[in-house]
């Protein structure tokens, strides 16, 4: 697992106040108390100890909020257990992966309040990783922080009454009697880290990893971590951000009907949260080396009313230009769907838009036709001819790795 980077950004007042209200209601409803005699040090989510990846928004009360796609939080701790304090602005199911040290990934569904991740561990140093697998249309996750059980400087939770009942208005509020893991109560200053390779993936349900898992409802079967983009990043030892929304298209959304006035990718890509107009995401918040645009499948799934090649080219070019406004230095890959039928329909407009932009001087944008040399995936690599299974995502990632290595010189 690569080292993660942290982002320091601000959230506007309306969103901050909404999330505060959500947390307060959740706290009152949960009425949580800790049992046993464990001692735990609380570390707020935006502490330098917590390494993050993806579209996280920090707030002034120490929380980190995510609601656009797969994200990661990681931390080292020394103790015998770890609990995560998490909330949501919706009642929808959000699935996560958790991993301790070199152990396997395990899935869990987050709930409002304190989520016990690991307990009764052997004393010593441990590495925790949690990954949100569910896309942003399921709502905003509010990660309040972590309790590291048995860590030096902790307090006895049996004397801490209700640790989750602290006043969210206070930046240092983590509940009565709970202290940070440091004796002096001060967090260490973050150390300057060298910039790592980074990849941003923006797309539809395929980019979100829909139907990778074999059973469950739609979102239970989705894995933002096992999709082709994060797989590619791991192959190249790069950080990643997955921004994907099921049903979204460059010019047409899934089963959209005339007059085609729904919000499409151009209007959506700058959102920090899928479910909210604000806050916006901008180039000050991260600086990916490579952006992969993975649209097209939903644009052409209405055979009788498909967009013309010229219209698709014009609108797709606008999408790239919008992306270029807040990704001025990134290499951009414009990738066709893996489905060969839709891929052929995308080629004239998508390839034409890229050709025009390169002729106009943007030589850092590339057209990536997955099926230029014949079908990249076999029928066995798809669930339904559209959504790849794990084997299909692996083939896409390996194909993209070769292109990245050739174009960007990454080993």
């Amino acid at each position: 697992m690569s080292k993660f980077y942290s982002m320091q950004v601000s959230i506007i007042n309306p969103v901050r106040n909404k999330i505060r209200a959500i947390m307060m209601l959740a706290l009152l409803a949960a009425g949580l108390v800790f049992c046993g005699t464990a001692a735990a040090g609380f570390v707020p989510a935006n502490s330098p100890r917590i390494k993050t990846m993806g579209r996280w928004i920090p707030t002034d009360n120490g929380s980190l909020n995510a609601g656009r796609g797969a994200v990661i939080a990681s931390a080292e701790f020394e103790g015998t257990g770890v609990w995560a304090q998490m909330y949501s602005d919706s009642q929808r199911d959000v699935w996560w992966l958790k991993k301790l040290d070199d152990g396997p990934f395990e899935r869990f569904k987050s709930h409002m309040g304190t989520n016990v991740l690991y307990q009764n561990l052997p004393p010593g140093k441990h590495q925790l990783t949690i990954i949100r697998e569910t896309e942003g249309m399921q709502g905003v996750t509010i990660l309040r922080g972590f309790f590291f059980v048995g860590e030096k400087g902790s307090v006895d939770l049996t004397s801490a009454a209700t640790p989750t009942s602290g006043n969210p208005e206070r930046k240092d509020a983590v509940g009565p009697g709970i202290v940070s893991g440091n004796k002096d109560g001060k967090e260490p200053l973050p150390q300057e880290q060298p910039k790592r390779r980074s990849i941003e993936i923006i797309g539809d349900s395929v980019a979100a990893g829909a139907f990778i898992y074999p059973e469950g409802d739609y979102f239970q079967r989705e894995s933002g971590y096992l999709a082709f983009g994060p797989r590619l990043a791991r192959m190249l030892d790069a950080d990643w951000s997955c921004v994907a929304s099921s049903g979204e298209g460059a010019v047409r959304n899934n089963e959209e009907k005339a007059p085609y006035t729904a919000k499409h990718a151009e209007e959506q890509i700058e959102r920090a949260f899928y479910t909210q107009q604000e806050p916006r995401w901008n180039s000050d918040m991260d600086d990916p080396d490579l952006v992969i645009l993975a649209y097209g499948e939903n644009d052409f799934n209405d055979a009788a009313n498909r967009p013309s090649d010229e219209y698709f080219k014009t609108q797709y070019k606008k999408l790239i230009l919008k992306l270029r406004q807040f990704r001025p230095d990134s290499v951009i890959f414009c990738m066709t769907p893996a489905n060969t039928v839709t891929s052929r329909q995308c080629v004239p407009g998508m390839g034409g838009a890229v050709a025009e932009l390169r002729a106009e001087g943007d030589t850092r944008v590339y057209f990536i036709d997955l099926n230029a040399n014949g079908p990249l995936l076999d029928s066995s690599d798809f669930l339904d001819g559209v959504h790849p299974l794990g084997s299909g995502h692996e083939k896409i990632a390996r194909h993209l790795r070769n292109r990245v290595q050739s174009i960007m010189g990454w080993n």
Side-chain angles (χ1 to χ4, degrees), residues 68 202-203 248-253 262-270 293 295 319 322:
R68 199 63 179 91
I202 303 175
E248 194 165 271
V251 304
R252 301 270 179 87
N253 294 336
K263 297 291 186 182
H264 304 115
E266 182 184 348
E267 293 87 5
Q268 301 282 68
I269 55 176
E270 286 182 276
L293 276 183
Y295 288 109
L319 170 60
K322 176 65 176 293

Side-chain angles (χ1 to χ4, degrees), residues 183-238:
K183 284 186 176 181
D184 59 5
K186 296 180 181 178
E187 293 293 348
L189 292 175
Q191 295 183 352
E192 188 72 22
Q193 297 292 332
K195 185 181 185 301
R196 288 176 46 79
R197 299 169 175 174
S198 59
I199 301 173
E200 180 176 56
I201 307 96
I202 303 175
D204 53 23
S205 61
V206 174
F211 299 113
I212 285 182
Y213 291 116
E215 297 180 351
D217 63 24
Y218 182 85
F219 292 105
Q220 190 172 354
R221 297 179 69 177
E222 187 176 82
S223 175
Y225 179 70
L226 295 176
F228 69 86
R231 285 178 187 255
L232 169 66
R234 293 193 292 276
M235 290 177 183
L236 295 167
D237 191 26

Side-chain angles (χ1 to χ4, degrees), residues 247-390:
E248 194 165 271
V251 304
R252 301 270 179 87
N253 294 336
N254 181 46
E255 298 182 351
E256 185 182 356
K257 305 301 181 184
Y260 310 112
T261 55
K263 297 291 186 182
H264 304 115
E266 182 184 348
E267 293 87 5
Q268 301 282 68
I269 55 176
E270 286 182 276
R271 287 189 177 192
F273 306 141
Y274 175 85
T275 54
Q276 299 177 25
Q277 290 283 353
E278 301 291 344
R280 310 300 282 179
W281 198 260
N282 60 59
S283 57
D284 294 331
M285 298 179 180
D286 60 358
D287 183 24
D289 300 293
L290 171 65
V291 178
I292 300 173
L293 276 183
Y295 288 109
E297 189 63 57
N298 295 302
D299 295 278
F300 291 94
N301 64 6
D302 184 350
N305 300 287
R306 52 164 287 186
S308 68
D309 291 344
E310 184 63 28
Y311 179 75
F312 185 76
K313 181 186 74 172
T314 300
Q315 298 304 115
Y316 193 84
K317 184 177 179 180
K318 288 182 179 178
L319 170 60
I320 301 172
L321 289 171
K322 176 65 176 293
L323 178 63
R324 182 58 83 196
Q325 289 177 14
F326 73 107
R327 293 286 182 256
D329 302 317
S330 300
V331 171
I332 300 175
F333 279 11
C334 300
M335 188 185 86
T336 67
N339 173 9
T340 53
V341 174
T342 313
S343 177
R344 293 307 91 200
Q345 294 172 327
C346 287
V347 166
M350 195 178 291
V354 172
E356 287 186 5
L357 286 167
R358 290 184 66 83
E360 293 166 7
D362 189 348
T363 57
R364 294 176 66 79
V365 59
Y366 294 84
F367 176 49
I368 308 295
D369 182 357
L370 292 182
N371 300 299
N373 299 316
L376 178 65
L377 307 189
D378 301 323
S379 59
S380 61
D381 294 319
F382 287 100
L383 171 75
D384 51 10
V386 173
H387 296 93
L389 301 170

Side-chain angles (χ1 to χ4, degrees), residues 55-265:
R55 289 197 178 184
W56 287 101
I57 291 282
T59 70
D60 61 2
N61 70 355
S63 299
L64 290 175
N65 304 322
R68 199 63 179 91
V71 291
I72 291 181
S74 174
E76 292 183 353
F77 68 98
E78 187 168 0
T80 59
V82 56
W83 309 331
Q85 197 176 94
M86 307 169 78
Y87 302 93
S88 173
D89 69 346
S90 74
Q91 297 299 317
R92 303 186 188 104
D93 291 346
V94 174
W95 291 86
W96 293 74
L97 292 173
K98 63 178 182 178
K99 177 182 172 68
L100 186 74
D101 301 330
D102 294 325
F105 278 113
E106 301 174 74
R107 296 195 89 201
F108 71 98
K109 183 171 64 175
S110 62
H111 63 260
M112 301 279 271
T114 301
N115 294 252
V116 178
L117 302 181
Y118 295 97
Q119 55 187 343
N120 300 320
L121 302 174
K125 293 183 179 179
H126 299 284
Q127 175 76 35
L128 170 73
T129 301
I130 62 171
I131 304 169
R132 174 169 165 156
E133 291 208 288
T134 307
E135 64 184 82
M137 67 172 59
Q138 287 294 87
V140 177
T141 291
I142 303 158
L143 179 61
R144 186 70 183 88
F146 296 94
F147 289 94
F148 296 127
V149 181
E151 192 167 65
K152 188 176 182 181
S154 303
V155 298
D156 188 343
L157 289 182
T158 57
S159 65
T162 311
T164 56
S165 63
N167 177 9
E169 295 295 323
R170 287 179 50 202
K171 293 182 181 180
D172 60 344
V174 295
I178 305 301
V179 297
S180 87
N182 298 321
K183 284 186 176 181
D184 59 5
K186 296 180 181 178
E187 293 293 348
L189 292 175
Q191 295 183 352
E192 188 72 22
Q193 297 292 332
K195 185 181 185 301
R196 288 176 46 79
R197 299 169 175 174
S198 59
I199 301 173
E200 180 176 56
I201 307 96
I202 303 175
D204 53 23
S205 61
V206 174
F211 299 113
I212 285 182
Y213 291 116
E215 297 180 351
D217 63 24
Y218 182 85
F219 292 105
Q220 190 172 354
R221 297 179 69 177
E222 187 176 82
S223 175
Y225 179 70
L226 295 176
F228 69 86
R231 285 178 187 255
L232 169 66
R234 293 193 292 276
M235 290 177 183
L236 295 167
D237 191 26
D239 292 334
W240 52 264
S241 174
C242 186
V243 180
S245 305
S246 294
E248 194 165 271
V251 304
R252 301 270 179 87
N253 294 336
N254 181 46
E255 298 182 351
E256 185 182 356
K257 305 301 181 184
Y260 310 112
T261 55
K263 297 291 186 182
H264 304 115

